[in-house]
Amino acid sequence: MIDFSHFNSIFELTSYFNSEEKCKKVIFESRWNKHDVVCPFCGRHHCTTRTDGRFHCSHCKANFSVTVGTIFENTKIPLVKWFLAMYLISCHKKGISSVQLATDIHVTQKTAWYILHKVRTLYKQDDNVQLYGLVECDEMYLGGRETNKHESKKTAKTQGRSTKTKTPIFGMTMVWKTEDVNEQTGEVKEKTHTYEVAMKVLDIKASTLIPIINHFVAEGSTIVTDELSAYNALDSKKYNHVFVRHGEKEFVVGCYSTNGIEGFWGHFKRMVFGTYHFVSKAYLERYIDEAVFRFNTKEMKESERFSYMFGKAMGTCYYKDVKISMAA
Ligand SMILES: [Zn+2]
């Protein structure tokens, strides 16, 4: 298996992945441990290598290449460009636009747009993540400001939290702290960590939000929310519920706050407005997934994030395996 830990710059990456053969070799080794080629169609092990470099399954008689079943399947874009694109996409903390990516890897903007959307599928959140301990929940709206629109384009009754022009997004942030000891000075510093789950929702009624919380947040957890009435329906036997009353300019209650989720909203808005400028409703979910991925991997080194993304492209790595276990 390839060691990704030394890919901490574009130079190191492109020096290593300098040919299609090298890229294919890395995909091969990442997918098929100990060179046991598994058929992507029927799952049979020990497929044979053909003279043309492709593989053959004796069970279902399929012939396939090393990229079948990965995001690189059927691509006409050279793998060296794919790898470089994935590295650039994973390194830019606020995302990268298709215009910028097109210039950086020398493809058309249409191709760059296609690569970006394909890579975004790797960010898909895991529906089976369990959040526990301290979890901050909050909602925000994304969409055009009615006051900036021409009279003819304004939608009636859309002030405040209307969903006619704005899309509500619901977020849950698990927050935990660790104590880091400086080995030289012996000084102990408290460090805050977060893990985010966020999604587009139809509305912010209790009937929508409470089932989501029940699904993702483990019983016995403490849930911090603002004063939105929907949260009153939280099961008090299941959760310890703390209100932070934003309307009364209250942002911290004892040791509780909504700073974790506010941090995510800030990050999300910087990505959406700073890099992409405009996000269509059709692709909103993918952008939310991307923002969550970037937020959840912010403590990783460039090489670790790339390695994780690469693992996802091969279908062999799941983020919850590496991250959530740290909080236990
Ligand atoms: Zn087969």
Side-chain angles (χ1 to χ4, degrees):
M1 260 301 264
I2 180 176
D3 172 19
F4 285 88
S5 64
H6 53 277
F7 298 135
N8 279 310
S9 73
I10 296 171
F11 176 76
E12 285 154 325
L13 184 95
T14 50
S15 308
Y16 187 86
F17 293 108
N18 54 8
S19 69
E20 291 301 283
E21 282 61 46
K22 199 70 161 281
C23 296
K24 280 184 185 166
K25 187 170 174 276
V26 170
I27 296 173
F28 179 89
E29 286 172 359
S30 307
R31 293 188 78 181
W32 298 312
N33 196 18
K34 295 186 180 125
H35 293 208
D36 171 15
V37 179
V38 181
C39 173
F41 302 103
C42 73
R44 177 63 64 97
H45 285 251
H46 309 298
C47 296
T48 50
T49 309
R50 290 161 34 119
T51 47
D52 63 0
R54 284 152 54 93
F55 307 97
H56 178 73
C57 172
S58 59
H59 184 245
C60 73
K61 310 288 178 219
N63 295 317
F64 54 93
S65 74
V66 72
T67 55
V68 169
T70 71
I71 64 164
F72 316 114
E73 184 173 345
N74 288 331
T75 187
K76 288 191 178 69
I77 305 155
L79 290 169
V80 287
K81 291 201 176 189
W82 269 106
F83 280 30
L84 177 57
M86 277 170 64
Y87 190 79
L88 291 168
I89 294 165
S90 73
C91 286
H92 283 71
K93 292 206 165 61
K94 284 185 274 175
I96 181 168
S97 69
S98 55
V99 176
Q100 186 62 52
L101 184 64
T103 312
D104 288 353
I105 66 168
H106 195 62
V107 293
T108 62
Q109 196 204 335
K110 203 177 152 193
T111 301
W113 187 92
Y114 166 78
I115 292 177
L116 273 165
H117 272 279
K118 200 91 186 185
V119 169
R120 263 188 207 112
T121 61
L122 303 177
Y123 297 142
K124 198 166 168 21
Q125 294 176 72
D126 185 344
D127 285 340
N128 297 314
V129 164
Q130 272 282 284
L131 306 176
Y132 54 88
L134 179 61
V135 181
E136 300 171 10
C137 298
D138 196 19
E139 63 301 322
M140 73 159 270
Y141 282 87
L142 197 72
R145 270 199 185 169
E146 285 296 306
T147 45
N148 294 339
K149 289 185 186 170
H150 187 266
E151 279 306 316
S152 62
K153 292 260 171 73
K154 283 188 183 176
T155 322
K157 294 179 184 161
T158 55
Q159 284 82 7
R161 287 169 159 170
S162 166
T163 54
K164 280 185 185 164
T165 58
K166 296 170 186 163
T167 308
I169 301 170
F170 181 58
M172 293 163 282
T173 314
M174 178 166 98
V175 182
W176 72 98
K177 290 182 190 331
T178 54
E179 286 184 341
D180 285 11
V181 185
N182 184 317
E183 283 179 10
Q184 265 126 40
T185 61
E187 196 189 345
V188 180
K189 257 193 184 169
E190 198 177 65
K191 212 173 162 195
T192 304
H193 309 269
T194 56
Y195 186 92
E196 183 71 31
V197 173
M199 67 202 70
K200 186 171 93 172
V201 285
L202 279 176
D203 55 55
I204 54 166
K205 290 176 189 160
S207 56
T208 303
L209 302 186
I210 302 299
I212 298 173
I213 296 176
N214 285 336
H215 175 78
F216 283 100
V217 185
E219 200 170 333
S221 300
T222 295
I223 295 181
V224 186
T225 69
D226 62 12
E227 62 271 62
L228 182 77
S229 62
Y231 300 122
N232 291 332
L234 272 170
D235 185 348
S236 60
K237 287 194 198 86
K238 204 172 165 189
Y239 302 116
N240 170 33
H241 185 192
V242 180
F243 279 104
V244 178
R245 289 171 218 287
H246 289 169
E248 292 165 31
K249 301 259 181 276
E250 178 186 78
F251 294 98
V252 181
V253 176
C255 59
Y256 301 112
S257 72
T258 48
N259 291 344
I261 185 87
E262 297 296 343
F264 173 70
W265 295 142
H267 161 88
F268 179 68
K269 286 176 193 165
R270 278 192 297 278
M271 191 191 91
V272 168
F273 300 120
T275 308
Y276 300 122
H277 309 299
F278 170 77
V279 169
S280 72
K281 263 192 178 181
Y283 293 116
L284 181 58
E285 240 146 36
R286 289 193 188 172
Y287 286 101
I288 297 172
D289 285 344
E290 177 176 352
V292 167
F293 172 85
R294 293 187 187 285
F295 193 70
N296 285 346
T297 59
K298 63 186 183 301
E299 288 178 36
M300 286 184 178
K301 280 197 229 159
E302 312 298 303
S303 58
E304 288 171 333
R305 200 178 304 114
F306 179 67
S307 164
Y308 168 57
M309 253 176 90
F310 190 83
K312 286 204 107 174
M314 300 298 120
T316 55
C317 177
Y318 301 95
Y319 187 68
K320 69 179 168 74
D321 300 338
V322 275
K323 187 64 189 254
I324 291 267
S325 57
M326 286 166 60

